[in-house]
Amino acid sequence: MARARAGRTQRERTAATTTALVSAAHELFGEDGYEATSLDAVAVAAGVTKGALYHHFDSKRELFAAVFAREVERLAAAARTAYLAEADPWTGFEAGCRAFLEACRQPRTQRIVLLDAQPALGWDTIRELEGEMLSMMAVGIERAISAGRIAPRPAGPLVSLLFGALCEGAMVVARAEDPSAAQTAMLAEVRRLLHGMSAETGAAAT
């Protein structure tokens, strides 16, 4: 019993240290950027030694990947909540897309996900860490197809196209001189794009 309790304590300590490091790194990466942030600064902000940091993360890139993954989880949660609030699967899909773009407006998210992730991690790692988001979109599309809201098709290619459009839209907003105006325009185009794909619109057009 004592040994099991000690093991749980060690796991709890490990989890607490990891959480502290990721939280400190999130703040510093979000404020100062990947290149300007040192592991020394992260260790100080987290209240641990640099040796303790290296015990949990082999490199700054690995730590940044953990921060990026946490941001992706937050974006996925925002999209999921918006989706589940709608009874209609295609309306829910649109709501999820809009929530994703809204969540991307946070300055630290823009810095970590939109500006620094590509040079810091590379496309392959980014795509692997975005797997949950892509799977969610695929499920949403498949449910919309099953409900007759959009025409039947393989979900994969459509997920890639729509997710790429959302990420590019979020990037444009992040770099715009007037982000609010850019966001309003981008949300309007998302609405038009998805409305144009609906089965009702297609039937009316024919």
Side-chain angles (χ1 to χ4, degrees), residues 134-159:
L134 298 171
S135 295
M136 281 174 45
M137 292 184 70
V139 170
I141 288 170
E142 288 165 357
R143 288 178 176 173
I145 291 171
S146 296
R149 295 290 282 114
I150 60 174
R153 71 198 71 188
L158 184 55
V159 167

Short mmCIF file of all heavy atoms in Angstrom, two decimals, residues 134-159:
data_model
loop_
_atom_site.label_atom_id
_atom_site.label_comp_id
_atom_site.label_asym_id
_atom_site.label_seq_id
_atom_site.Cartn_x
_atom_site.Cartn_y
_atom_site.Cartn_z
N LEU A 134 -8.91 16.99 -37.23
CA LEU A 134 -9.28 16.46 -38.53
C LEU A 134 -10.28 15.31 -38.40
O LEU A 134 -11.21 15.20 -39.19
CB LEU A 134 -8.02 15.99 -39.27
CG LEU A 134 -7.00 17.09 -39.57
CD1 LEU A 134 -5.71 16.49 -40.11
CD2 LEU A 134 -7.56 18.10 -40.55
N SER A 135 -10.09 14.48 -37.39
CA SER A 135 -11.04 13.38 -37.17
C SER A 135 -12.42 13.92 -36.82
O SER A 135 -13.44 13.40 -37.28
CB SER A 135 -10.53 12.48 -36.05
OG SER A 135 -9.33 11.84 -36.42
N MET A 136 -12.46 14.96 -35.99
CA MET A 136 -13.73 15.58 -35.65
C MET A 136 -14.45 16.11 -36.88
O MET A 136 -15.66 15.93 -37.05
CB MET A 136 -13.50 16.75 -34.66
CG MET A 136 -13.27 16.33 -33.23
SD MET A 136 -12.83 17.75 -32.21
CE MET A 136 -14.03 18.96 -32.76
N MET A 137 -13.70 16.77 -37.76
CA MET A 137 -14.31 17.31 -38.96
C MET A 137 -14.83 16.19 -39.85
O MET A 137 -15.91 16.31 -40.45
CB MET A 137 -13.29 18.17 -39.72
CG MET A 137 -12.92 19.45 -39.01
SD MET A 137 -11.80 20.50 -39.98
CE MET A 137 -12.91 21.06 -41.29
N ALA A 138 -14.09 15.10 -39.93
CA ALA A 138 -14.53 13.97 -40.75
C ALA A 138 -15.84 13.40 -40.21
O ALA A 138 -16.76 13.09 -40.98
CB ALA A 138 -13.45 12.89 -40.78
N VAL A 139 -15.94 13.27 -38.89
CA VAL A 139 -17.18 12.77 -38.29
C VAL A 139 -18.33 13.72 -38.59
O VAL A 139 -19.45 13.29 -38.93
CB VAL A 139 -17.01 12.59 -36.77
CG1 VAL A 139 -18.35 12.31 -36.10
CG2 VAL A 139 -16.04 11.44 -36.48
N GLY A 140 -18.08 15.01 -38.47
CA GLY A 140 -19.13 15.99 -38.75
C GLY A 140 -19.63 15.91 -40.18
O GLY A 140 -20.84 15.99 -40.44
N ILE A 141 -18.70 15.75 -41.12
CA ILE A 141 -19.08 15.63 -42.53
C ILE A 141 -19.86 14.34 -42.77
O ILE A 141 -20.88 14.33 -43.48
CB ILE A 141 -17.83 15.71 -43.42
CG1 ILE A 141 -17.30 17.16 -43.43
CG2 ILE A 141 -18.13 15.24 -44.84
CD1 ILE A 141 -15.96 17.31 -44.08
N GLU A 142 -19.40 13.25 -42.19
CA GLU A 142 -20.10 11.97 -42.38
C GLU A 142 -21.52 12.02 -41.81
O GLU A 142 -22.46 11.48 -42.40
CB GLU A 142 -19.28 10.86 -41.71
CG GLU A 142 -18.00 10.53 -42.48
CD GLU A 142 -17.02 9.72 -41.67
OE1 GLU A 142 -17.31 9.45 -40.47
OE2 GLU A 142 -15.96 9.34 -42.21
N ARG A 143 -21.68 12.70 -40.69
CA ARG A 143 -23.02 12.82 -40.11
C ARG A 143 -23.91 13.70 -40.98
O ARG A 143 -25.12 13.42 -41.13
CB ARG A 143 -22.92 13.41 -38.70
CG ARG A 143 -22.36 12.43 -37.68
CD ARG A 143 -22.22 13.07 -36.30
NE ARG A 143 -21.76 12.10 -35.32
CZ ARG A 143 -21.43 12.40 -34.07
NH1 ARG A 143 -21.52 13.67 -33.66
NH2 ARG A 143 -21.02 11.46 -33.24
N ALA A 144 -23.34 14.74 -41.55
CA ALA A 144 -24.12 15.60 -42.44
C ALA A 144 -24.54 14.84 -43.69
O ALA A 144 -25.66 15.01 -44.19
CB ALA A 144 -23.31 16.84 -42.80
N ILE A 145 -23.66 13.98 -44.19
CA ILE A 145 -24.00 13.15 -45.35
C ILE A 145 -25.12 12.18 -44.99
O ILE A 145 -26.10 12.01 -45.74
CB ILE A 145 -22.76 12.40 -45.85
CG1 ILE A 145 -21.76 13.39 -46.47
CG2 ILE A 145 -23.15 11.34 -46.87
CD1 ILE A 145 -20.41 12.77 -46.79
N SER A 146 -24.99 11.54 -43.83
CA SER A 146 -26.01 10.58 -43.40
C SER A 146 -27.37 11.23 -43.22
O SER A 146 -28.42 10.62 -43.47
CB SER A 146 -25.59 9.92 -42.09
OG SER A 146 -24.41 9.15 -42.27
N ALA A 147 -27.36 12.50 -42.81
CA ALA A 147 -28.61 13.23 -42.61
C ALA A 147 -29.15 13.83 -43.91
O ALA A 147 -30.22 14.46 -43.90
CB ALA A 147 -28.41 14.34 -41.58
N GLY A 148 -28.45 13.63 -45.00
CA GLY A 148 -28.88 14.18 -46.29
C GLY A 148 -28.67 15.67 -46.42
O GLY A 148 -29.27 16.31 -47.28
N ARG A 149 -27.77 16.24 -45.60
CA ARG A 149 -27.57 17.68 -45.63
C ARG A 149 -26.57 18.11 -46.69
O ARG A 149 -26.59 19.24 -47.17
CB ARG A 149 -27.12 18.17 -44.26
CG ARG A 149 -28.17 17.99 -43.17
CD ARG A 149 -29.33 18.97 -43.41
NE ARG A 149 -28.97 20.31 -42.95
CZ ARG A 149 -28.80 21.38 -43.71
NH1 ARG A 149 -28.97 21.29 -45.01
NH2 ARG A 149 -28.49 22.54 -43.20
N ILE A 150 -25.64 17.21 -47.03
CA ILE A 150 -24.74 17.47 -48.14
C ILE A 150 -24.65 16.20 -48.98
O ILE A 150 -24.98 15.11 -48.50
CB ILE A 150 -23.33 17.92 -47.69
CG1 ILE A 150 -22.66 16.84 -46.83
CG2 ILE A 150 -23.40 19.24 -46.95
CD1 ILE A 150 -21.21 17.17 -46.49
N ALA A 151 -24.21 16.35 -50.23
CA ALA A 151 -24.15 15.21 -51.13
C ALA A 151 -23.11 14.20 -50.66
O ALA A 151 -22.07 14.58 -50.11
CB ALA A 151 -23.81 15.69 -52.54
N PRO A 152 -23.38 12.90 -50.87
CA PRO A 152 -22.41 11.87 -50.47
C PRO A 152 -21.07 12.05 -51.17
O PRO A 152 -21.01 12.39 -52.36
CB PRO A 152 -23.09 10.57 -50.90
CG PRO A 152 -24.54 10.90 -50.95
CD PRO A 152 -24.62 12.32 -51.41
N ARG A 153 -19.99 11.81 -50.44
CA ARG A 153 -18.64 11.92 -50.97
C ARG A 153 -17.67 11.37 -49.92
O ARG A 153 -18.04 11.27 -48.74
CB ARG A 153 -18.29 13.38 -51.26
CG ARG A 153 -18.11 14.21 -49.97
CD ARG A 153 -18.19 15.68 -50.24
NE ARG A 153 -19.56 16.05 -50.57
CZ ARG A 153 -19.90 17.27 -51.00
NH1 ARG A 153 -18.99 18.19 -51.18
NH2 ARG A 153 -21.16 17.55 -51.26
N PRO A 154 -16.44 11.04 -50.30
CA PRO A 154 -15.43 10.67 -49.29
C PRO A 154 -15.14 11.90 -48.41
O PRO A 154 -14.99 13.02 -48.91
CB PRO A 154 -14.21 10.29 -50.13
CG PRO A 154 -14.75 9.97 -51.48
CD PRO A 154 -15.93 10.87 -51.67
N ALA A 155 -15.09 11.68 -47.11
CA ALA A 155 -14.91 12.81 -46.20
C ALA A 155 -13.49 13.37 -46.22
O ALA A 155 -13.29 14.57 -46.05
CB ALA A 155 -15.26 12.38 -44.77
N GLY A 156 -12.49 12.51 -46.45
CA GLY A 156 -11.10 12.92 -46.34
C GLY A 156 -10.70 14.13 -47.16
O GLY A 156 -10.17 15.12 -46.62
N PRO A 157 -10.92 14.11 -48.49
CA PRO A 157 -10.52 15.26 -49.30
C PRO A 157 -11.23 16.55 -48.88
O PRO A 157 -10.62 17.63 -48.87
CB PRO A 157 -10.91 14.84 -50.73
CG PRO A 157 -10.89 13.36 -50.70
CD PRO A 157 -11.39 12.99 -49.33
N LEU A 158 -12.50 16.45 -48.54
CA LEU A 158 -13.24 17.65 -48.14
C LEU A 158 -12.71 18.19 -46.81
O LEU A 158 -12.60 19.41 -46.64
CB LEU A 158 -14.73 17.32 -48.02
CG LEU A 158 -15.66 18.50 -47.71
CD1 LEU A 158 -15.49 19.63 -48.73
CD2 LEU A 158 -17.11 18.03 -47.66
N VAL A 159 -12.37 17.31 -45.89
CA VAL A 159 -11.78 17.74 -44.62
C VAL A 159 -10.49 18.52 -44.89
O VAL A 159 -10.26 19.60 -44.32
CB VAL A 159 -11.48 16.54 -43.70
CG1 VAL A 159 -10.59 16.95 -42.53
CG2 VAL A 159 -12.77 15.95 -43.17
#
